[in-house]
Each structure stands twice: as C-alpha cells, then as structure tokens.
Amino acid sequence: MTHCPCGSGKDLAQCCGPLIEGAAAPTAEALMRSRYTAFTLGNIDYIDSTHASDMDEPFDRAEGQAMVDEFKWRGLEIVRVKDGGPTDQTGEVEFTARFRRGGQMGLHHERATFKRENGRWVYVDGELNPKAATVVRTAHVGRNDPCPCGSGKKYKKCCGA
C-alpha cells in the first residue's frame, strides 16, 4: 500500500490516484489535494490540465517543473474550506504545504479559488499568504470620559465635538 501524499491517510490508488489518471474530482478540496499530490509525483501535465481555461496568466510549465525539481514536498494541511462541495459551482480552499528547498524548510500558504468548468473542478487563482480576517472592536466612549486620542481633554470637548 502506498499512502497518498495529500495526507488523507488513504491509499494513493483510493484517493488522488484516480483523479490524476483522469477521474473528475467530486469537490474543490479533492482537486486541491490531487494537485498537491501531482506536484509530489512530478506530474506537470495534470497540474496544467486542472487550470481554468480563462485564467489571466496561463500556467507556466517551466516554473511548475522547477517546483517539482527543486522542492521536496513534506506535507499538506487544509486550513479552511468554503463551499466547493458536490453541488457547488465555486469554492475556496485555504491550505499550507510544507517543503524543503536547498536544505531550508519552507511553507507555502495559499487561499485557492476553484470553479466548475464543463462539469469539472478547476483551479482559478490563489492568494499567497492570505491575511486572516480582522475583527474591529470599538468601545463606547462617554461624553465625560477622557478622549481616546490622548489629548487629555474630555471626549465631548475634543473628538466628540
């Protein structure tokens, strides 16, 4: 049994293998996992074939081959999945992929966007090192409280005027 590189714990032949051989991915996450596996196996043709046809920039095969040749992929972690299920038309998969390159460990963090094209999931684009959504909290400042700007005046006589 050969464990699938995508980290599912399944056998390659029961996980990403059939997708790489041409079966349709049932979800955006399954496509993401199979693309990672294809990178670990050096299958640039599969990576190329799973890109959306209307991408702004076409797949750079030379860059993809360099990633296969120079990177030793060490593991995939799915951080978050938004939509991308069997009945959805679009989806997002945020993931991290660990690698070793030139003796240095690295981390590829991406929020990837997928869509269905002719009934099959394809990769549209990705945001590298996406920022987490920030929550802005505001506190109520009373009229007679010190102004939060640091002026030393009461709020009503400063920024609250």
Side-chain angles (χ1 to χ4, degrees):
M1 179 168 128
T2 304
H3 280 49
C4 191
C6 80
S8 67
K10 299 178 184 175
D11 183 63
L12 176 61
Q14 303 301 316
C15 191
C16 294
L19 304 181
I20 292 171
E21 295 298 319
T27 64
E29 180 182 350
L31 181 66
M32 176 55 243
R33 288 180 176 278
S34 68
R35 286 171 53 85
Y36 171 82
T37 297
F39 270 113
T40 68
L41 300 175
N43 191 329
I44 297 300
D45 291 335
Y46 180 73
I47 300 297
D48 192 8
S49 73
T50 57
H51 277 84
S53 61
D54 60 351
M55 289 181 69
D56 291 337
E57 296 180 26
F59 177 62
D60 185 336
R61 290 184 68 91
E63 184 178 320
Q65 189 63 53
M67 289 181 76
V68 166
D69 295 341
E70 298 172 20
F71 290 52
K72 180 73 173 168
W73 297 98
R74 299 291 189 192
L76 175 69
E77 179 186 341
I78 303 298
V79 176
R80 185 181 65 83
V81 176
K82 179 181 174 192
D83 301 326
T87 60
D88 293 322
Q89 294 302 307
T90 61
E92 277 184 6
V93 179
E94 185 175 343
F95 66 94
T96 58
R98 295 183 321 278
F99 63 88
R100 179 176 292 280
R101 180 181 188 200
Q104 298 288 324
M105 290 300 291
L107 186 72
H108 176 92
H109 183 192
E110 181 176 342
R111 183 180 304 125
T113 305
F114 298 88
K115 71 176 182 177
R116 286 193 186 269
E117 191 172 271
N118 300 320
R120 297 176 72 92
W121 284 107
V122 292
Y123 174 83
V124 177
D125 62 13
E127 177 186 358
L128 294 178
N129 302 316
K131 303 288 185 234
T134 56
V135 177
V136 177
R137 291 191 171 98
T138 59
H140 175 72
V141 180
R143 290 174 28 88
N144 291 318
D145 290 339
C147 190
C149 77
S151 67
K153 296 180 182 178
K154 288 185 178 181
Y155 178 70
K156 68 181 179 185
K157 296 283 186 181
C158 189
C159 295

